[in-house]
Each structure stands twice: as structure tokens, then as C-alpha cells.
Amino acid sequence: MKILFVTSEFGDFAKAGGLADVSAALPRALKRRGVDVRILMPAYQNVLDKITQLKVVASLPGHAAIEPCLIGETETADGITVYLILAPSLFQRPGTPYTTPEGYDWGDNDVRFARLGLAAAEVGKGIASIGWTPDLVHCHDWPSALAPAYLAWSGANVPSVFTIHNLAHQGLFGADRLDALGIPHDAFRTDGVEFHGYISFMKAGLVYANHVTTVSNTYAAEITTDHLGSGLHGVTRGLAAEGRLSGIVNGLEPEWDPATDRHLPRMFDAASLEGKSINTDFIRTSLCLNPSDGPLFGVVSRLVHQKGLDLIADIAGNIVERGGQIAILGTGDPGVERMLLDVSRRYRGSIGLVAGFSDTMAHRLVAASDFFLMPSRFEPCGLTQMQAQRYGALPVAHATGGLADTIENDETGFLFTDFSVGGFLEATSRAFDTYHAPERLAAMRRRAMAKSFGWDEPAKAYEALFSRVAGVPASKPPDRGFSGVTRLPQLISADMDRKAAAR
Ligand SMILES: Nc1ncnc2c1ncn2[C@@H]1O[C@H](COP(=O)(O)OP(=O)(O)O[C@H]2O[C@H](CO)[C@@H](O)[C@H](O)[C@H]2O)[C@@H](O)[C@H]1O
């Protein structure tokens, strides 16, 4: 089976958040199963800085205001083929994939990511000079969401799957951009790309892909509700009713193993937890925290509203009063960063903030933590709570999305259902009680650290889905049909499968 994996982030080359981790791990897990997965992404300046060889394999024409581009081919050290969209005026810039170095969205993000979607559609249909035609195009989040739409508008019958990593970011642009993006005017309607008078890239992915997945079972259900549907709940409900929406929980990369983690001052495993406390001491010293016998609560997060970090600021005083400390690593919204900086100044010696992000520091902080705070307002899947459990840092988390699906309450972490200061305090209180009951703490840690969280099961579920949507046999027949894929109450009927595959 041949899959074109279309993404705006790929961990090896360009990372802004969790999408980059998934884009690095899932294609590799699929490749291990014998799937020929190739990645398509923009050639940002920092991608070109990282690669050593590049062969130009195709030249694509422009369309409307979307300029022509070249397609370059490179390969990662472990043999993953990556097609890069070479459009210097769109992508060779400083900053993140989406923003200027100062954190403002690029003003031409519509054309930049329309270029990604259009290139995906063209490579998806097959380009003679590339000599490879995928069976299915797999797109991720709004930046690649126009690909299924451009495929449909060109009349091509190439199957596609669209994966939502975060429905809250939708890629909304003014209706006056229709012509510039080459969107047919008759597609600007409520059952097309129109969203309250705007063009919605996200909606294009939902409407035109054959099947839509998201990254946990609970989030797949939550996005059909008024509360978490981000205004698109009508569309997601329709998808669910047609059996075209399902959840596949993300996995965790094998590098997240405390027994072999070279980032750590001291490696450890469930049988030798003394090593963990050396990591705790190391982080206390690095963040200028006072020596303490109390629990260390860790936070590794993009500092954005979604993550509910305001609840951490609200209960910080209580944690400190009870003898706890908090170590925070993250960067993002300047307002959230200032709020946490203020808290760390108020409780100097007990709360430490590293404003920034590095992989090494992330591994060290997770390894150091006794507990891990994740009061996310919503969380499509979340990766850090899986990392935390693997490292014996028990998550204290809001029971939403993937957090509800990957943490067992009072077994491998502490969940709270009521998103409020009271709810969060009650769960942290259970964490404190457990900290003071060493046998119970050790048992919970052992259970958390024994969880597998690998990518094999999710990859198997994606492969089974691709196989069904594209009508191509899986490289190995799946053992148990759709293992790992939750079907929403409206079960996918064979008839609907055929209709979806024919779209
Ligand atoms: N400031 C920062 N800068 C760069 N990297 C940082 C960072 N802070 C944390 N990270 C790293 O990025 C990853 C974060 O992944 P998450 O899944 O928690 O969140 P994110 O919201 O980005 O992703 C979205 O997509 C993923 C993948 O599907 C879903 O799990 C998640 O719920 C959804 O919100 C971790 O590997 C973490 O170490």
C-alpha cells in the first residue's frame, strides 16, 4: 500500500507542537508494517538547513494566485522519502511554520498552505517524473486540508483521509480570497468550504475527505457536541451519522524510555526508582528550587489557552502551602508566559519556569516529576501525559479527549471531570495523599510505567482504515478488523463504506 502523508510539521525537520511528533512516528510505524509511506511538506528555510541532499523530481504549475513550485526529494537517515515543496517566496523565511519570529501569523498563510494542499493533490494524482502514485492521500489539520478539496474539484478519484489534531485551529480566510485560492464559487456554500462568511480550510478537509479521523476516541465524540465542536459540530455530527468519523489514539515514540534515555542525568526503570530522584534533584538545582522532601509537579506544554494553565496559576499557592513545588517548561502566548512568570516570582524557590523549549529539557523535566499537571480545557489526544506515565510521573489531568482515554483514574493518574479550581484542587489533593502513602505511590508508578503506548496498534488501525477507504489490501491482514478504531454509535455499514470509497 502506498500512502502520501501530507503535513506542515515533521519532527525531524520542523516542529511547532504535537503534530510534528505524530508526523515523525506514524509514517515510521506504518513503514515497519510494510506500507510505502512518503511525506510531503513545505521546504521551510530550517528544513533546507537540515538536509544534505536534495534531488528536484518535478515542476508543478501555478493555479490562480498560487505560484508554481518545484518538488524536491530527500531521504531521512532511516530511509523515509520526503518530498519538499520548493517555493522560496512562500516558505524560505525565518520563524515557525506558521508565524513570523515575533509570533504573528504570516499574512499569506492562505496561499502558503493552499500551495501545500494543491501540491498534495497533484502528487496524489501521480506525476510521471516522480514515478510513484499513492493509493491514498492522508492529510493533517487545516494546513493540508485543501488537498481533498482540490482533488474533488479536479474530478480526480483519489481516496483521502483527513486527521484532525486540533479542531480549534481552522484556517479561516476572507471570502474575497476565493479566486486567489482557485476555489470554485459553487463550493462556497454551507455544505462546502463556507463557514459564517469565511473560507474554512478545516471544513474543506471534513467535507471532501472520504474519511475523517481524530486522535482519540473521546475527542471524536466531543467534537460532535456544541461545546467542543468549534462551530463545526453540525458537520462532524453528519460525518458520524454517515460512519465517516472515527478516533485512533496516538502512540508514543520508543525514544521515550527512561531506561535508555540519554538526555537524563540518570536513567531508571520501574525496578530502580532511586535513579528517578537524581533527576528530581538535578531539575531542582537547574531551576533554582529549594531542597525539599515534598512532591515535584511538572508541566511541559505549549503555553496557550487550550492547556488551562490559568488553573495552575490559581492553585499554585495551595500546592506550595502543602509542601509541593512546580517546575514548568514551555513557550507560546506571551500573556500566558507572563502569568506563569509572575507566579514563579511570587513563589521563588518553589515554582520555577523555563520559558523556552528543548527536547533535552523536556525529557529531564518529565523524568524529574513526581506528578504531571495537565488541566487542559480540551485535549484531542495529548502526548505529554503518555510520556509522563512512562517516566513514573503520575498525571493530574482534566478528563477530556485523549487524557480520559489514556489515564486510568486513581490507577495511573488523577482525573477530574469538573473544569474548575475546585475540581483541579480535589485531584491534586489525591496526588498529595498518594505521595504520603509510599506503597500506593510505588504501585501506581509501576502500573503507569508498564503501559505500552506504542505506535504499533495505532499504525495497524490506520492501515486497516486506509485499506478499507482505498480498497487496497493491507500489507498484512489486520488481526481483529478495526482494532483501535472506535466507531461512533452509528456503525459503519458496508454500504456506506462503498459510498465513501466511491466519493
Ligand atoms: N512550547 C513548545 N514548543 C514546541 N514543542 C513543545 C512545546 N511544549 C511542548 N512541546 C512538545 O510538543 C509535544 C506536545 O504535544 P501535545 O500532544 O501535548 O500537544 P499539541 O497541543 O502541540 O498537539 C496537538 O496535536 C497532538 C498530536 O495529535 C495532540 O496530541 C494534541 O492533543 C493536540 O493539541 C510534546 O512532544 C512536547 O514535548
Side-chain angles (χ1 to χ4, degrees):
M1 191 191 297
K2 292 174 287 177
I3 304 295
L4 182 68
F5 191 103
V6 187
T7 182
S8 52
E9 298 178 37
F10 172 51
D12 297 39
F13 296 157
K15 169 161 168 158
L19 173 58
D21 299 64
V22 174
S23 300
L26 176 56
R28 290 183 162 102
L30 286 164
K31 191 164 175 248
R32 286 196 292 276
R33 298 185 57 78
V35 180
D36 179 2
V37 192
R38 304 190 185 186
I39 290 169
L40 175 75
M41 69 179 296
Y44 309 115
Q45 184 58 50
N46 53 3
V47 175
L48 295 172
D49 292 344
K50 286 187 184 117
I51 59 174
T52 52
Q53 39 159 310
L54 183 72
K55 189 169 95 188
V56 173
V57 291
S59 166
L60 303 185
H63 175 59
I66 305 166
E67 64 181 66
C69 66
L70 298 175
I71 300 291
E73 180 180 332
T74 188
E75 204 175 273
T76 62
D78 59 346
I80 301 273
T81 297
V82 183
Y83 295 119
L84 294 173
I85 301 170
L86 301 162
S89 70
L90 297 179
F91 299 123
Q92 279 177 246
R93 305 174 180 180
T96 77
Y98 318 109
T99 66
T100 66
E102 295 75 35
Y104 299 106
D105 285 352
W106 292 110
D108 57 353
N109 271 349
D110 55 351
V111 178
R112 296 174 77 231
F113 293 107
R115 183 63 275 181
L116 174 62
L118 188 61
E122 292 176 50
V123 176
K125 285 186 269 185
I127 293 175
S129 60
I130 293 184
W132 181 83
T133 304
D135 299 311
L136 181 141
V137 176
H138 185 195
C139 306
H140 299 264
D141 270 352
W142 76 264
S144 58
L146 280 188
Y150 283 129
L151 280 170
W153 296 329
S154 71
N157 190 17
V158 179
S160 57
V161 168
F162 177 60
T163 296
I164 304 166
H165 296 263
N166 193 336
L167 190 66
H169 300 293
Q170 301 189 355
L172 294 182
F173 301 98
D176 58 340
R177 302 296 292 159
L178 276 177
D179 290 337
L181 303 177
I183 297 177
H185 282 223
D186 64 1
F188 193 67
R189 48 173 210 261
T190 47
D191 59 348
V193 301
E194 190 269 346
F195 182 76
H196 297 290
Y198 289 86
I199 299 165
S200 164
F201 278 37
M202 176 65 84
K203 195 171 169 188
L206 301 181
V207 169
Y208 291 100
N210 297 85
H211 191 89
V212 176
T213 70
T214 188
V215 288
S216 71
N217 306 324
T218 297
Y219 192 61
E222 285 173 344
I223 58 174
T224 65
T225 64
D226 297 7
H227 176 47
L228 288 177
S230 297
L232 286 167
H233 43 278
V235 183
T236 48
R237 266 180 217 157
L239 289 170
E242 289 176 28
R244 288 173 52 216
L245 174 66
S246 52
I248 301 178
V249 178
N250 287 334
L252 190 59
E253 287 161 274
E255 64 169 63
W256 283 94
D257 179 354
T260 55
D261 189 337
R262 294 185 177 282
H263 294 294
L264 305 187
R266 180 65 63 89
M267 297 172 197
F268 62 96
D269 59 27
S272 62
L273 279 170
E274 320 75 66
K276 186 170 168 68
S277 60
I278 292 169
N279 292 284
T280 313
D281 293 342
F282 179 88
I283 284 293
R284 283 202 166 102
T285 310
S286 310
L287 271 68
C288 302
L289 299 178
N290 302 327
S292 166
D293 292 331
L296 181 69
F297 292 79
V299 180
V300 177
S301 181
R302 290 187 301 108
L303 305 185
V304 292
H305 183 70
Q306 173 197 342
K307 304 292 180 181
L309 300 156
D310 41 317
L311 280 196
I312 296 181
D314 288 340
I315 70 158
N318 183 283
I319 287 185
V320 172
E321 259 168 42
R322 296 188 68 167
Q325 296 179 322
I326 309 177
I328 308 170
L329 170 68
T331 176
D333 181 338
V336 178
E337 201 169 304
R338 215 171 308 114
M339 170 188 76
L340 294 174
L341 188 63
D342 287 348
V343 174
S344 70
R345 287 196 178 129
R346 194 167 334 131
Y347 300 102
R348 211 181 282 278
S350 296
I351 298 185
L353 168 69
V354 179
F357 185 80
S358 91
D359 271 333
T360 299
M361 195 61 182
H363 282 246
R364 289 179 174 171
L365 204 149
V366 172
S369 303
D370 295 300
F371 302 105
F372 197 81
L373 300 175
M374 279 191 88
S376 304
R377 289 187 156 74
F378 67 93
E379 195 59 78
C381 179
L383 300 173
T384 47
Q385 82 282 5
M386 295 193 256
Q387 299 162 358
Q389 287 171 85
R390 177 73 64 75
Y391 282 55
L394 305 175
V396 182
H398 182 209
T400 182
L403 301 176
D405 291 357
T406 59
I407 299 166
E408 285 78 41
N409 191 30
D410 291 332
E411 297 279 324
T412 65
F414 307 92
L415 291 171
F416 61 100
T417 46
D418 174 23
F419 183 83
S420 65
V421 169
F424 194 26
L425 265 181
E426 184 277 326
T428 45
S429 182
R430 279 184 280 140
F432 270 106
D433 292 346
T434 304
Y435 188 75
H436 297 299
E439 279 182 21
R440 183 168 151 61
L441 177 67
M444 283 186 74
R445 275 189 177 150
R446 274 197 301 275
R447 271 198 291 273
M449 293 176 81
K451 292 181 72 172
S452 66
F453 293 130
W455 268 104
D456 291 346
E457 281 301 309
K460 198 164 147 187
Y462 276 108
E463 192 189 9
L465 175 69
F466 295 158
S467 163
R468 180 173 65 76
V469 173
V472 176
S475 38
K476 281 188 216 154
D479 295 339
R480 288 173 284 120
F482 294 93
S483 94
V485 178
T486 289
R487 300 178 196 185
L488 292 170
Q490 300 78 7
L491 284 181
I492 304 169
S493 74
D495 182 40
M496 280 166 179
D497 287 357
R498 274 195 296 280
K499 270 197 237 150
R503 280 169 67 88

